[in-house]
Amino acid sequence: MTAILKRELVAFFKNPIGYFVIMIYAFLSALAFFWFVVWQNTSYLGNHFGMWLFVVDIIVIAILSMRFFSEEKKNKTDQLLLTSPISLYSLVAGKFLGAYIILLICTALNIVYVLIIDAFGVIDYGSLLTNTVGTLLILAAMTSIGIFISSLTDNQIAAAAGSFAVLLMLMIIDAFAIFVPTWLAKAMIHLNIYSQYEDFTNGIISLPPVIYYISVTIIFLFLTVKVIEKRRWN
């Protein structure tokens, strides 16, 4: 797993696209900070760590999903990975941790905005802590979904578009609840990946959202292993 993780990080930072991804995140997160904090003349960061910033994360994950497994298939290097003396669980975990660390590096750019608020205003550190915990959990869940979708295709554009569409749909799925039967509407509301984050925004760390995000992460990583396993034997 360590070898795969190192390989992913080295490949990302040796490629100019890697720094381009970080620049995209920096620019879009700066827009979010200006709109939800500076423009609103507030020191409250809860709205900054909100849906808009997660849309930015979705864009980054969509770009990264072009690399996870789709690029390996396109370049035929997936055969080397599948025949290497490592378990599929280690392979998927290494890919996941590589993408997750890259996302955390992007997210760490928000420290700049925290320092700005700390210099000119008052920070609610309790809310900042809960938002940070929630962000770590939701990023893990979204990354696992992106990796799973990438494992389904060797088309990099399809992987990026699929990851973006699925993750965005999971953020707005409850908007379509009024068009379906009540029992299905309730299920759609619970499937909304962003609605689970509301407690963290309100300064609360509750068990159900934590279990939800950890469960989503584990389930999609497991499904990815099964997809890769099927490909190995085919």
Side-chain angles (χ1 to χ4, degrees):
M1 183 182 73
T2 304
I4 298 297
L5 172 59
K6 181 178 179 181
R7 176 177 178 269
E8 289 297 304
L9 294 177
V10 170
F12 180 80
F13 287 105
K14 284 181 65 176
N15 194 322
I17 294 179
Y19 297 96
F20 177 68
V21 169
I22 295 176
M23 288 176 58
I24 290 176
Y25 184 93
F27 174 72
L28 294 178
S29 64
L31 288 180
F33 176 74
F34 177 81
W35 179 256
F36 292 109
V37 180
V38 178
W39 186 260
Q40 304 298 327
N41 193 29
T42 179
S43 60
Y44 176 64
L45 290 169
N47 292 330
H48 172 68
F49 290 99
M51 181 176 286
W52 168 252
L53 197 60
F54 290 126
V55 171
V56 177
D57 291 319
I58 289 175
I59 293 172
V60 172
I61 291 173
I63 296 174
L64 291 178
S65 69
M66 299 171 68
R67 300 187 59 255
F68 296 146
F69 287 104
S70 298
E71 186 178 53
E72 301 281 4
K73 293 178 183 179
K74 179 182 178 182
N75 296 333
K76 306 300 181 183
T77 55
D78 60 321
Q79 297 301 323
L80 294 175
L81 292 175
L82 294 177
T83 55
S84 60
I86 60 172
S87 69
L88 293 182
Y89 288 97
S90 295
L91 170 61
V92 172
K95 288 275 189 180
F96 167 76
L97 289 176
Y100 189 56
I101 289 173
I102 291 168
L103 274 173
L104 292 184
I105 291 173
C106 291
T107 303
L109 297 174
N110 291 286
I111 294 175
V112 174
Y113 311 132
V114 174
L115 294 176
I116 292 174
I117 294 300
D118 191 45
F120 297 99
V122 178
I123 294 180
D124 182 350
Y125 286 101
S127 176
L128 178 62
L129 174 62
T130 57
N131 274 282
T132 300
V133 172
T135 298
L136 294 177
L137 290 169
I138 194 174
L139 287 183
M142 292 196 299
T143 302
S144 68
I145 294 172
I147 285 181
F148 170 69
I149 294 173
S150 180
S151 70
L152 297 175
T153 178
D154 58 358
N155 187 311
Q156 293 176 286
I157 302 300
S163 296
F164 181 84
V166 170
L167 289 171
L168 186 62
M169 179 58 66
L170 286 175
M171 292 190 73
I172 63 174
I173 190 171
D174 57 340
F176 302 95
I178 60 175
F179 303 108
V180 298
T182 303
W183 64 269
L184 183 56
K186 291 181 179 179
M188 292 171 68
I189 292 173
H190 287 296
L191 284 174
N192 186 305
I193 198 169
Y194 179 70
S195 65
Q196 305 291 331
Y197 185 81
E198 291 179 357
D199 283 350
F200 299 104
T201 301
N202 296 325
I204 302 170
I205 298 179
S206 56
L207 193 57
V210 173
I211 294 176
Y212 171 85
Y213 288 129
I214 293 177
S215 299
V216 169
T217 302
I218 293 174
I219 289 171
F220 278 96
L221 290 180
F222 175 77
L223 291 175
T224 303
V225 170
K226 291 305 177 183
V227 170
I228 301 302
E229 184 178 43
K230 182 179 179 181
R231 181 175 177 81
R232 168 182 274 183
W233 293 112
N234 288 339

